[in-house]
Amino acid sequence: MQTLSQPDVSVPVLLDRLSHLTGALRVTLDPPDPDGWIHADALMTPENGALADFIVCLADAGFGANRRAAAASLLLRHGWAAGPIIAAYLAERRTLRIHDFALRFSASTLVEGIWIRQADILAGRNPAEAGPDVLASLLAFSEPVLESLRRWSGYSRHALWSMLASSWLAQFSTIGELLGERERAVRAARALLARHPELARALPETYVIASGDRSEVCQILKACCLQHKGFRRRFCPSCPVIQDRERFVRNREWVCRAK
């Protein structure tokens, strides 16, 4: 059994040091507005309660036309909420383990905040060898939610792992860019996630679209998020079923608009 030493930094101090890397994702230990958050246990009961209410919001926004589409959309959002775990690894080679949490979603249904209710920092391992612990932290954070949504929706584990892999890889890319080492961060993400057999099969393909001095890492998912089932009837640029020509045109337009 691994012997853990006392970490040399507290969770609040670490999260404060990482705050510039989590972007629009609000990370808090003590929210001034404790109402309106969906707690971790509620995320595993899609049949009723706060999550059932949010699934209605997903459908109204065009993301949850059926149970499989709702499960895919929820996993994409849940994966994005792992930003603090990924930032701790990339910036400081630390393993942040989140044991209890709640999520807050915006009016447009995107995840806008994570309330970390209980967490610790794993210590005692050489920082250069933190990868296995970080992967275990990501799995502990998301796999229980994935499995409950799989049972509820009937969507395959492969498809749902594809949603998590997409969001996690996107967070590695985004945080890596803020650290000035995006390419290395994407390589690290692929190497880390490939340690898990299901994640290895679910990892999206990636390619870079550039316009002037701006570039973005784009993805081709291994499974469809089913957004096109909603009333918008529109496929994502990352969808595996659209033609590459359409994919590249739409992503180039996006990069140009964002310049």
Side-chain angles (χ1 to χ4, degrees):
M1 180 180 295
Q2 182 184 356
T3 300
L4 301 182
S5 62
Q6 184 68 24
D8 60 356
V9 65
S10 68
V11 170
V13 169
L14 176 63
L15 293 177
D16 184 64
R17 293 208 303 234
L18 299 174
S19 61
H20 67 293
L21 298 175
T22 50
L25 179 67
R26 170 186 167 197
V27 182
T28 181
L29 295 169
D30 185 20
D33 50 349
D35 296 328
W37 296 78
I38 301 180
H39 291 251
D41 55 354
L43 288 169
M44 289 180 280
T45 57
E47 303 89 350
N48 51 59
L51 187 57
D53 293 340
F54 179 65
I55 288 170
V56 174
C57 296
L58 281 176
D60 290 343
F63 300 110
N66 55 43
R67 287 189 175 192
R68 292 193 306 162
S73 290
L74 284 165
L75 263 297
L76 284 168
R77 287 154 175 77
H78 191 272
W80 195 257
I85 299 173
I86 294 168
Y89 176 55
L90 287 179
E92 303 206 9
R93 284 298 184 268
R94 297 180 187 273
T95 302
L96 175 67
R97 302 187 299 186
I98 299 175
H99 303 293
D100 190 21
F101 65 95
L103 300 182
R104 190 179 184 94
F105 296 93
S106 69
S108 63
T109 75
L110 297 180
V111 61
E112 65 178 6
I114 177 169
W115 173 6
I116 298 178
R117 295 165 55 84
Q118 182 183 4
D120 62 19
I121 300 165
L122 185 64
R125 183 186 285 274
N126 183 338
E129 301 172 355
D133 292 328
V134 174
L135 178 58
S137 178
L138 288 170
L139 295 174
F141 179 66
S142 291
E143 189 167 14
V145 177
L146 179 148
E147 184 55 29
S148 68
L149 291 173
R150 184 202 63 78
R151 291 193 300 267
W152 171 74
S153 69
Y155 214 7
S156 69
R157 281 177 63 90
H158 173 71
L160 296 178
W161 277 122
S162 296
M163 304 303 117
L164 284 177
S166 172
S167 288
W168 288 344
L169 197 149
Q171 279 283 38
F172 269 88
S173 174
T174 299
I175 294 168
E177 183 171 15
L178 290 170
L179 292 169
E181 45 191 29
R182 185 179 70 186
E183 184 177 343
R184 185 191 69 82
V186 172
R187 289 199 307 269
R190 302 195 75 89
L192 180 69
L193 301 179
R195 293 171 179 261
H196 185 277
E198 288 181 294
L199 277 169
R201 292 190 294 272
L203 277 171
E205 298 177 41
T206 56
Y207 59 97
V208 176
I209 293 286
S211 178
D213 59 355
R214 178 180 171 80
S215 65
E216 293 287 346
V217 177
C218 302
Q219 299 185 2
I220 306 174
L221 272 64
K222 289 295 177 63
C224 183
C225 72
L226 304 176
Q227 181 179 325
H228 68 280
K229 297 287 188 180
F231 64 83
R232 301 177 192 276
R233 300 295 179 188
R234 184 170 175 83
F235 289 88
C236 302
S238 59
C239 186
V241 306
I242 66 173
Q243 296 295 314
D244 284 343
R245 176 180 174 81
E246 177 185 355
R247 184 191 322 284
F248 297 149
V249 167
R250 289 174 59 186
N251 275 324
R252 184 170 294 280
E253 290 174 350
W254 165 57
V255 173
C256 290
R257 284 198 305 271
K259 286 176 62 177

